[in-house]
């Protein structure tokens, strides 16, 4: 389990491009913030990598930092480019396929806290 990040303490996460590079034929991730209210995770995907359909009990905001991907939400596919954002309601089924090498930031928010 990633280290708990106190809600009352600020934090900075810099140099992520170097610290979390895109790895050939891989999906990688690093948890940046993790507490009772939210979790922030940065992912990298090599071209062709995917996440199969799943859901989160939390509300989720996904922002594509670089690259292009196809992101499916409740059966509807969206082509995402750099800077694009998708909001997922709690329980929304979703999946993705990286069309190019990608970097994505995911923020999960606990709507019950």
């Amino acid at each position: 389990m990633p280290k708990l990040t106190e809600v009352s303490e600020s934090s900075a996460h810099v140099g992520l491009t170097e610290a979390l590079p895109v790895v050939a034929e891989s999906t990688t991730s690093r948890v940046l913030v993790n507490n009772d209210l939210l979790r922030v995770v940065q992912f990298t995907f090599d071209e062709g990598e995917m996440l199969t359909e799943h859901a989160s009990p939390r509300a989720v905001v996904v922002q594509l930092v670089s690259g292009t991907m196809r992101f499916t939400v409740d059966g509807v596919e969206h082509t995402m480019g750099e800077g694009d954002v998708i909001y997922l309601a709690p329980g929304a089924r979703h999946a993705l396929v990286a069309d190019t090498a990608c970097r994505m930031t995911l923020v999960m928010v606990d709507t019950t806290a």
Side-chain angles (χ1 to χ4, degrees):
M1 179 91 180
K3 178 184 166 194
L4 187 66
T5 308
E6 296 297 327
V7 174
S8 60
E9 295 179 18
S10 299
S11 62
H13 306 274
V14 298
L16 293 173
T17 301
E18 294 80 27
L20 189 65
V22 174
V23 177
E25 300 179 4
S26 296
T27 297
T28 58
S29 66
R30 177 171 291 181
V31 176
L32 305 175
V33 178
N34 184 42
N35 59 48
D36 292 338
L37 297 177
L38 64 94
R39 184 174 183 154
V40 179
V41 184
Q42 185 142 116
F43 286 87
T44 63
F45 303 92
D46 195 13
E47 179 179 350
E49 292 297 307
M50 63 181 69
L51 292 179
T52 58
E53 188 177 62
H54 61 284
S56 170
R58 293 180 168 192
V60 177
V61 175
V62 173
Q63 182 170 28
L64 189 59
V65 177
S66 64
T68 59
M69 68 171 49
R70 288 170 282 138
F71 200 104
T72 302
V73 181
D74 292 330
V76 178
E77 186 175 272
H78 306 276
T79 300
M80 295 182 74
E82 295 180 8
D84 288 349
V85 173
I86 289 181
Y87 168 73
L88 302 168
R93 306 286 304 162
H94 57 282
L96 68 84
V97 177
D99 291 325
T100 66
C102 296
R103 178 174 302 276
M104 178 186 87
T105 301
L106 178 135
V107 179
M108 293 180 277
V109 179
D110 189 343
T111 59
T112 62

